[in-house]
């Protein structure tokens, strides 16, 4: 097992501190910390407050991803998945949720709305070149390797 990374957290309510729901979980659950229920109509999107602020060590990022149960049962997902939280961001973590289902969906205080993955970051050095090496695939994209 890989060693732990310390993520310093501040949250309005300590019971909404992210946590891993099982021993093998790679994503820590994120909760809604909202003053009143939020109604998400089909096709609607909203930024949902978590009340959470985090300090991520340099060289890491947090990725916000959907919860599979919400996606399968209700068509609720995270719109910009995975959402990236950079190590120098100190504002509140908000989750951009969208209702892709056919029914209204209500988000309540304390609901588990997303999961957070902590991942190492590799930064690239970008260089301008006059040409690129050829490959068998070439410029084929959008289904060019099969459906």
């Amino acid at each position: 097992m890989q060693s732990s990374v310390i993520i310093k957290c501040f949250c309005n309510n300590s019971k909404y501190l992210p946590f891993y729901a099982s021993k093998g979980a790679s994503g820590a659950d994120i909760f809604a910390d909202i003053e009143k229920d939020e109604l998400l109509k089909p096709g609607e999107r909203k930024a949902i407050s978590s009340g959470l602020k985090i300090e991520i060590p340099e060289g890491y990022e947090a990725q916000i991803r959907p919860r599979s149960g919400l996606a399968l049962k209700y068509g609720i997902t995270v719109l910009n998945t995975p959402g990236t939280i950079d190590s120098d961001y100190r504002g509140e973590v908000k989750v951009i949720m969208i209702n892709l289902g056919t029914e209204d969906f209500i988000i309540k205080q304390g609901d588990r709305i997303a999961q957070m993955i902590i991942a190492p970051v590799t930064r690239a050095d970008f260089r301008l070149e006059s040409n690129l090496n050829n490959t068998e695939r070439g410029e084929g994209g959008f289904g060019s390797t099969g459906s």
Side-chain angles (χ1 to χ4, degrees):
M1 178 163 182
Q2 197 173 17
S3 62
S4 293
V5 174
I6 303 297
I7 305 296
K8 296 179 184 178
C9 299
F10 168 84
C11 50
N12 297 326
N13 187 330
S14 62
K15 71 181 180 181
Y16 299 141
L17 188 67
F19 83 99
Y20 295 97
S22 72
K23 182 180 177 185
S26 57
D29 288 336
I30 302 292
F31 300 87
D33 190 1
I34 51 181
E35 293 184 18
K36 61 181 179 61
D37 292 353
E38 290 281 355
L39 173 66
L40 264 183
K41 294 183 174 292
E44 187 175 30
R45 61 188 177 269
K46 289 184 179 177
I48 305 300
S49 295
S50 71
L52 176 68
K53 295 179 180 182
I54 56 179
E55 184 177 321
I56 304 166
E58 188 173 333
Y60 290 88
E61 66 163 330
Q63 299 174 4
I64 305 300
R65 299 183 183 181
R67 296 192 65 241
S68 59
L70 290 179
L72 178 62
K73 294 176 188 173
Y74 308 105
I76 304 299
T77 191
V78 175
L79 190 56
N80 64 322
T81 190
T84 296
I85 301 172
D86 299 311
S87 64
D88 58 351
Y89 176 69
R90 294 296 181 269
E92 181 184 2
V93 174
K94 292 188 178 185
V95 178
I96 303 170
M97 303 186 77
I98 188 167
N99 183 348
L100 299 176
T102 57
E103 309 275 326
D104 288 355
F105 185 79
I106 298 174
I107 301 165
K108 299 180 180 302
Q109 173 76 352
D111 282 353
R112 294 184 297 163
I113 58 172
Q115 55 185 328
M116 179 171 58
I117 308 292
I118 304 300
V121 172
T122 301
R123 291 184 55 110
D125 290 322
F126 297 96
R127 295 187 314 210
L128 184 61
E129 299 286 339
S130 58
N131 59 29
L132 303 176
N133 293 332
N134 290 325
T135 67
E136 184 177 322
R137 180 177 180 178
E139 294 185 16
F142 296 106
S144 66
T145 62
S147 34

